[in-house]
Amino acid sequence: MTYSVDLFQQAQLVMPGGVNSPVRSFNAVGGTPIFFERGEGAYLFDHQGKCYIDYLGSWGPIILGHAHPSVTHALQQAIGKGLSFGTCHEKEQKLARRLCTLLPSMQKVRLVNSGTEAVMSALRLARGFTGRDKIVKFNGGYHGHADSLLVQAGSGGLTFGRPSSLGVPASFTEHTLVADYNDLSSLEACCESYGKDIAAIIVEPVAGNMGCIPPQSGFLVGLRHLCDQLNCLLIFDEVITGFRVGLHGAQGLYNVKPDLTILGKVIGGGMPLAAFGGRSDVMDLLAPLGDVYQAGTLSGNPIAVTAGLSTLNVLSEPSFYETLQQATQQLADGISLLTKHFKIPTHVNWVTGMLTVFFTTQGAVHNQQEAVQCDADTFKRFFHALLAQQIYWPPSAFETAMVSMAHSQQIIETSLQGFERVFSNWERTV
Ligand SMILES: *Cc1c(COP(=O)(O)O)cnc(C)c1O
């Protein structure tokens, strides 16, 4: 642990906050981040070889567990052939075809390097295609750190986004409208006033960045109808849900067809790879065919594409998602039983591969407002108590724990024993 403290102090001298992405700093839970050296299957190892059961999964990509042998092998082969060509190569179309086959709403796809980049490009494309400026997003939805999406709702039901970050001019967010997740009525006013100006509605079909919050029945279909009425595009941000909640994404699970889809995280299997795709009449507006400009030096990078393809190979195997669902359910049910037994007010939301424990007396959590009412202090103690049991949970109350194929029944059983020790000592912990 002192090793991590020392390293973190040194990191802060050369990196803002000691990190390359803010939530890694443990700001939300306090304490010093652990420095990890190695991952294998469901485990992360720190420098002393101390082993943690990993429920962070690198925030989503690691659906096969760490260092999966067939992905590692494919990468070793690929690396020897050069890291980047900046030219066409065959594997990129293999991956593109694969993505379009598995997600039939996508007729064409473009590969990029991060979810942020994919979202930014998809919004530009939606605006170019519709000739309209406004975008609707939902409170608590996260779509990366593009300027126009760094907004917080003002007061009142329907709101224009105000910048939530310094450095974002108000004029950059004036075209971003904000509504409430799982609440179609919160869209009515905005559609009445601005319907003809709305280029797209962007949504995480299962919210994953205010904790895991599944869509209520009728919500996604309602959005589809609304977009048809307004003649605007429906964009599913499936950066987390794509190839996590099922082989055909959340769109397959809930049977709603978006016009554009954003992918990331799992499709790179841990390498920097993301994508956006959809209807060909829309996608063909991208340069070089059309006038919406979009480009990238490392886009379709052969190493990243290799990691993606070999990851998709494994998760396409029969009953992959049945097993993943059973594992997620085993963990969710186990935690619910324990908290009930020890009378700790919680609510567990889960969808295949994703899970959040909300500390709340209110029961189910459906939107951001209900999520932020949960007890953040209790979560901090919960996080550190789990850490002491060598269980690495995402370091924020508003994140989603990730279950992977490597989380066997046995490992989940062991995890639940750790949870039991945490909850049985709760009075002393809290
Ligand atoms: C992680 C995430 C992004 C951003 O992806 P990056 O690769 O971190 O830029 C966008 N949308 C959702 C839903 C995400 O979870």
Side-chain angles (χ1 to χ4, degrees):
M1 195 58 195
T2 52
Y3 173 88
S4 283
V5 172
D6 286 351
L7 269 187
F8 192 52
Q9 270 169 4
Q10 288 169 39
Q12 290 172 80
L13 299 177
V14 285
M15 292 152 66
V19 293
N20 283 310
S21 194
V23 72
R24 295 179 196 172
S25 68
F26 276 25
N27 254 9
V29 289
T32 304
I34 300 174
F35 281 65
F36 287 105
E37 200 171 72
R38 187 167 75 81
E40 188 183 323
Y43 300 107
L44 280 174
F45 297 83
D46 73 7
H47 75 292
Q48 288 169 322
K50 190 170 173 188
C51 168
Y52 294 78
I53 302 176
D54 177 24
Y55 287 102
L56 181 68
S58 187
W59 305 94
I62 309 301
I63 197 162
L64 307 184
H66 296 280
H68 188 280
S70 68
V71 179
T72 305
H73 179 73
L75 283 171
Q76 281 163 343
Q77 302 282 309
I79 280 171
K81 296 179 181 167
L83 297 183
S84 175
F85 314 130
T87 67
C88 297
H89 63 97
E90 196 181 351
K91 275 187 190 162
E92 54 183 0
Q93 58 175 285
K94 268 196 186 151
L95 179 59
R97 201 169 300 121
R98 215 40 194 290
L99 296 174
C100 292
T101 307
L102 292 171
L103 301 180
S105 72
M106 298 204 320
Q107 295 171 310
K108 288 192 177 170
V109 63
R110 182 157 282 177
L111 304 179
V112 295
N113 306 291
S114 72
T116 296
E117 190 187 349
V119 166
M120 194 185 78
S121 306
L123 292 182
R124 182 181 305 146
L125 180 60
R127 285 169 162 147
F129 181 79
T130 56
R132 303 171 178 184
D133 290 338
K134 296 209 186 300
I135 300 291
V136 180
K137 79 174 284 282
F138 293 91
N139 276 317
Y142 178 69
H143 307 288
H145 62 91
D147 281 332
S148 67
L149 292 172
L150 291 181
V151 298
Q152 57 195 358
S155 52
L158 154 76
T159 48
F160 288 105
R162 289 177 292 131
S164 61
S165 164
L166 272 182
V168 178
S171 58
F172 284 23
T173 58
E174 72 178 35
H175 293 303
T176 310
L177 301 161
V178 190
D180 288 323
Y181 189 75
N182 270 332
D183 181 5
L184 289 171
S185 72
S186 72
L187 286 154
E188 276 167 17
C190 96
C191 295
E192 232 163 72
S193 316
Y194 305 103
K196 288 192 176 59
D197 305 320
I198 296 173
I201 298 179
I202 184 167
V203 65
E204 292 177 70
V206 175
N209 288 285
M210 41 181 154
C212 171
I213 304 187
Q216 283 181 284
S217 156
F219 178 61
L220 297 176
V221 179
L223 292 181
R224 179 66 274 176
H225 289 324
L226 193 59
C227 288
D228 291 342
Q229 268 169 30
L230 298 177
N231 213 6
C232 72
L233 301 184
L234 178 60
I235 306 178
F236 275 5
D237 181 344
E238 295 225 39
V239 170
I240 290 181
T241 55
F243 305 106
R244 172 161 291 279
V245 302
L247 188 56
H248 310 290
Q251 50 197 272
L253 192 61
Y254 298 102
N255 200 19
V256 175
K257 205 171 168 178
D259 300 294
L260 292 177
T261 299
I262 318 285
L263 295 167
K265 296 187 174 131
V266 169
I267 68 160
M271 291 294 287
L273 178 68
F276 64 103
R279 286 164 42 185
S280 18
D281 59 333
V282 181
M283 292 300 289
D284 284 347
L285 209 62
L286 284 174
L289 291 180
D291 291 330
V292 174
Y293 189 68
Q294 194 281 333
T297 302
L298 293 176
S299 292
N301 173 271
I303 308 303
V305 166
T306 300
L309 271 173
S310 48
T311 299
L312 288 178
N313 281 342
V314 178
L315 55 74
S316 303
E317 285 167 9
S319 67
F320 181 92
Y321 289 98
E322 283 90 329
T323 310
L324 188 62
Q325 182 191 345
Q326 283 160 11
T328 318
Q329 181 161 17
Q330 186 193 351
L331 183 64
D333 289 353
I335 295 171
S336 297
L337 267 176
L338 286 169
T339 52
K340 207 166 168 193
H341 177 77
F342 291 107
K343 301 194 171 54
I344 299 161
T346 53
H347 189 83
V348 179
N349 275 358
W350 70 276
V351 179
T352 301
M354 308 170 63
L355 178 153
T356 297
V357 181
F358 291 102
F359 290 92
T360 174
T361 52
Q362 315 280 313
V365 176
H366 307 101
N367 56 36
Q368 188 196 31
Q369 207 191 349
E370 290 173 2
V372 298
Q373 281 165 6
C374 296
D375 189 339
D377 282 335
T378 303
F379 177 84
K380 288 182 198 177
R381 297 189 189 108
F382 169 71
F383 171 82
H384 285 289
L386 283 179
L387 213 51
Q389 298 297 327
Q390 293 173 239
I391 295 174
Y392 195 83
W393 206 250
S396 155
F398 305 113
E399 300 292 348
T400 296
M402 302 290 175
V403 180
S404 81
M405 173 191 117
H407 292 84
S408 65
Q409 236 172 314
Q410 182 56 55
I411 290 176
I412 293 194
E413 202 52 51
T414 307
S415 306
L416 287 171
Q417 287 159 11
F419 277 89
E420 183 165 7
R421 285 190 290 273
V422 167
F423 291 137
S424 63
N425 277 313
W426 199 238
E427 296 310 324
R428 261 168 288 160
T429 315
V430 175

